[in-house]
Amino acid sequence: MKPGFPLAIALATSLTLFSSPLLADVDTPSYAAGEATDLMYLENGMVLEGRDLESPDGHTSGFRFTAGFSPLALPRLDLGAEFTYRESDEVPTRFGDQPLILNTTSLGGSLVAGVRLGHLGLYAKSGFAEWEGDPINRPDPFAMATAGTARVQGFGARLQHNRLVSRLEFEEIDAPSMEHLNLITASVHYPF
């Protein structure tokens, strides 16, 4: 028997258990934070979710709004659009060979697609963010604010068992001045 074979069997067994139709949570999209936020279900099948954002270091705050739906023919598939607004204060970065401290603002939009396998939901996102940075310590008084458009990409997983919801997400903005927004986040929610 090959060394990785028992691990592959355990993984396949776990995915089979989580993807059982009897265990499926048909109401919560794969990309939703679940019980941590309020979901609004519209009569036309759209699901709306909004939540505040804050970075662990306290420099960044903002909000995220997601609108999505599941096609009637493919009820385990989740499609959506995500809009994100973030403000960051006093972020250290470099512009060329000059160190800078920036106050940044970004507005982003991404398309989101996910699939639900029972209690397990997997999703990916891709889009663009427009950002602007205002240097605090300008080496040149005529220096202009830095700005640009960057690609946004990410993926995540959500596991829900009864009321326990756990999430793991990676999100990256492909711009050197916005590296402070590249995050890997993990959370566990248990409402009581």
Side-chain angles (χ1 to χ4, degrees):
M1 195 182 303
K2 294 184 178 181
F5 191 67
L7 180 61
I9 291 174
L11 181 62
T13 304
S14 299
L15 285 176
T16 303
L17 175 66
F18 287 128
S19 65
S20 170
L22 298 174
L23 298 175
D25 181 11
V26 296
D27 292 337
T28 306
S30 56
Y31 50 79
E35 308 251 351
T37 60
D38 293 328
L39 295 174
M40 182 183 297
Y41 297 91
L42 303 179
E43 291 179 8
N44 63 0
M46 294 290 291
V47 179
L48 305 176
E49 176 187 31
R51 63 180 184 241
D52 292 333
L53 297 175
E54 189 167 328
S55 66
D57 61 7
H59 290 290
T60 303
S61 62
F63 65 88
R64 177 176 291 167
F65 176 76
T66 308
F69 71 99
S70 296
L72 292 176
L74 300 167
R76 291 182 182 219
L77 179 66
D78 299 314
L79 302 173
E82 177 180 277
F83 301 97
T84 308
Y85 174 80
R86 295 183 180 113
E87 288 185 4
S88 301
D89 295 327
E90 298 183 5
V91 177
T93 188
R94 298 187 74 76
F95 188 70
D97 61 346
Q98 295 290 323
L100 287 177
I101 296 180
L102 294 176
N103 288 335
T104 64
T105 303
S106 69
L107 180 63
S110 299
L111 296 177
V112 182
V115 64
R116 283 175 273 148
L117 305 168
H119 290 298
L120 179 65
L122 303 171
Y123 62 95
K125 63 175 117 177
S126 181
F128 293 95
E130 182 74 25
W131 62 274
E132 183 175 304
D134 184 25
I136 293 175
N137 60 337
R138 297 177 189 219
D140 178 1
F142 299 107
M144 298 186 68
T146 58
T149 302
R151 195 176 80 186
V152 175
Q153 57 195 9
F155 58 89
R158 178 178 145 298
L159 182 62
Q160 181 171 354
H161 186 66
N162 295 331
R163 292 176 9 191
L164 180 67
V165 179
S166 58
R167 287 177 50 96
L168 178 65
E169 181 176 275
F170 168 75
E171 186 175 39
E172 174 186 40
I173 297 180
D174 191 20
S177 295
M178 303 306 286
E179 285 181 348
H180 63 283
L181 296 179
N182 296 343
L183 293 175
I184 295 176
T185 55
S187 62
V188 176
H189 304 280
Y190 187 81
F192 51 93

